[in-house]
Amino acid sequence: MPSPSSTRVSSFTALAAAALCCLALTIPTSGAGAVSPLKSLVGRLLDFGCANPANHGSAALLPAARGRSITCFGKVVSASGRGPAVTKGPVGLGPAQIQAAYKLSGLHASGRTVAIVDAYDDPKAESDLATYRSAYGLPPCTTANGCFRKVNQAGAASPLPIGDYGWAEEISLDLDAVSAACPDCHILLVEANAPTDTDLMTAVDTAVRLGAVAVSNSYGGAEDATQLASDAHLNHPGVAITVSSGDSGYGVEWPASSQYVTAVGGTTLKAASNSRGWTETVWSGAGSGCSAFEPKPSWQHDAGCAKRTVADVAAVADPNTGLGVYDTYNSCGTSSFCDLLLSIGAAQGLDGWAQVGGTSLSSPLVASVYALAGNAVTAGSFPYAHAGSLFDVTSGSNGSCGSSYLCTGKAGYDGPTGLGTPNGLGAF
């Protein structure tokens, strides 16, 4: 009769073999996917696993919660269904595809800054960003040349929060998304002490104080009455505050529901033989709906919701048509064995390129478009006065709501994609 230890070894060997099989069949090992979106991976989707106690070695290392708990929204494509599909070269959409799809090619931000607000530290944020930008021939964005800056929620370079493998994936996604849409945007990364509304809202205030013209927030949590008091931290006239609408389909989360932000929904983006060269439908995971607490802004006029409606605009979010990102912060190192452990979910983080999405992708993309446009904006009002400068998304659904516009793509305004996706800078 086999011993328990030999049984465990056999089980691990079987998992490893299965993972290697899946990897060999579905994952390119070169940068071919960087050239064409048709090389994108398609597979099961996994959450980033932000603030998993395993990411810190011990749950005791997690700071005590101060305020409501918040989670990041990113998702990664998996070949095995257990861990992320990590590749050796770029995969999915790259800067050329993002800029072509949203008519951003050749545009410049003239040194304007996009801030990324996330929780915990990504110790490899700058070095991984350098690899991403180098792979696509983008100009360096470093601390040394003044393009990149990383601070804690108080605005200081140290001390930084503890690291978290899941939030590091979110950070890599956000930094790479800004780089893809706006290669000459300066990037400010503000790392909150913990994923709570108290710490994250402090980080938003810091981002604005340090000069960002757009602040992206790829996280959220369930609505409750306390959010109205926290909204004050999102009320920054002249600065665009973008927030992911959520990745669980029809339903509303905060801070996307705040009356002071641009709530960003999500689409499935595919190359097409039409005049635009691309087509978009509602991504089934995008959040949308009618807030239970937030008053309706004066600039929002849809008739089916007496309070604030989510979303305002959208961009690509479907991980199966998502962005390739580079991230190497993980729990196991840089060996091929580490890659195997990651692929079967036995280790945390990433070790190379992965294809990701969620409205965690659409928020920094839209923040970058705001930065390229350079207009002083009030909450999410600007697109409503310039809806003709958006690509209208008219099909697809993110849930069941009796075919209402709140969960179904329609001509004009709808919940999952708002007024539409960027068509150049006119709506921002």
Side-chain angles (χ1 to χ4, degrees):
M1 180 175 181
S3 68
S5 60
S6 63
T7 300
R8 286 194 296 270
V9 170
S10 297
S11 298
F12 181 84
T13 302
L15 285 172
L20 286 172
C21 173
C22 293
L23 289 171
L25 288 173
T26 62
I27 303 178
T29 56
S30 71
V35 177
S36 168
L38 299 180
K39 299 295 184 181
S40 294
L41 301 178
V42 176
R44 294 181 61 181
L45 306 182
L46 302 177
D47 293 336
F48 283 169
C50 295
N52 181 343
N55 293 344
H56 310 278
S58 168
L61 294 178
L62 290 169
R66 298 188 309 125
R68 291 191 303 142
S69 179
I70 299 291
T71 186
C72 74
F73 286 142
K75 293 182 182 292
V76 61
V77 175
S78 170
S80 67
R82 302 182 186 92
V86 180
T87 74
K88 298 302 181 184
V91 67
L93 299 177
Q97 289 79 37
I98 293 295
Q99 293 172 35
Y102 297 123
K103 309 304 179 187
L104 306 176
S105 302
L107 302 178
H108 299 282
S110 303
R112 289 184 285 271
T113 297
V114 175
I116 298 301
V117 171
D118 283 310
Y120 298 130
D121 179 40
D122 177 2
K124 295 190 174 184
E126 185 168 1
S127 60
D128 285 346
L129 177 64
T131 298
Y132 177 88
R133 295 177 70 100
S134 176
Y136 288 110
L138 304 179
C141 186
T142 66
T143 301
N145 68 14
C147 174
F148 178 76
R149 183 180 181 187
K150 181 169 77 167
V151 298
N152 61 25
Q153 68 183 43
S158 65
L160 294 171
I162 62 173
D164 181 276
Y165 306 121
W167 277 95
E169 291 176 42
E170 178 63 61
I171 289 170
S172 292
L173 164 55
D174 292 339
L175 300 181
D176 294 353
V178 174
S179 299
C182 180
D184 72 338
C185 279
H186 287 193
I187 304 175
L188 170 65
L189 172 59
V190 186
E191 297 181 331
N193 291 339
T196 66
D197 57 351
T198 302
D199 291 320
L200 288 163
M201 293 302 99
T202 297
V204 170
D205 289 335
T206 294
V208 174
R209 175 169 56 83
L210 294 180
V213 301
V215 182
S216 177
N217 305 270
S218 296
Y219 51 79
E223 285 199 300
D224 68 40
T226 66
Q227 71 195 44
L228 297 177
S230 298
D231 275 347
H233 298 282
L234 300 165
N235 185 11
H236 293 286
V239 178
I241 310 294
T242 66
V243 182
S244 303
S245 69
D247 289 358
S248 299
Y250 181 52
V252 175
E253 301 201 39
W254 183 89
S257 62
S258 171
Q259 61 189 297
Y260 299 115
V261 309
T262 299
V264 187
T267 68
T268 296
L269 174 69
K270 295 182 179 180
S273 57
N274 55 23
S275 58
R276 177 188 172 189
W278 302 86
T279 184
E280 287 181 282
T281 58
V282 170
W283 175 49
S284 61
S288 71
C290 186
S291 172
F293 300 97
E294 295 282 347
K296 199 166 198 69
S298 60
W299 34 266
Q300 198 172 51
H301 302 292
D302 59 299
C305 173
K307 294 186 180 295
R308 169 75 158 116
T309 313
V310 175
D312 298 311
V313 294
V316 60
D318 185 346
N320 283 318
T321 64
L323 187 74
V325 304
Y326 187 79
D327 176 58
T328 60
Y329 183 47
N330 61 61
S331 62
C332 56
T334 59
S335 67
S336 57
F337 184 63
C338 174
D339 294 344
L340 174 59
L341 293 177
L342 292 169
S343 73
I344 62 175
Q348 291 78 49
L350 293 174
D351 184 30
W353 294 86
Q355 187 174 306
V356 301
T359 53
S360 282
L361 170 56
S362 57
S363 177
L365 289 178
V366 169
S368 301
V369 179
Y370 271 118
L372 285 166
N375 294 310
V377 298
T378 300
S381 64
F382 202 88
Y384 287 82
H386 304 84
S389 296
L390 293 160
F391 291 117
D392 194 8
V393 180
T394 60
S395 63
S397 174
N398 66 352
S400 177
C401 63
S403 298
S404 161
Y405 73 94
L406 291 174
C407 71
T408 308
K410 305 278 188 180
Y413 180 84
D414 59 69
T417 66
L419 298 163
T421 62
N423 179 6
L425 305 182
F428 300 92

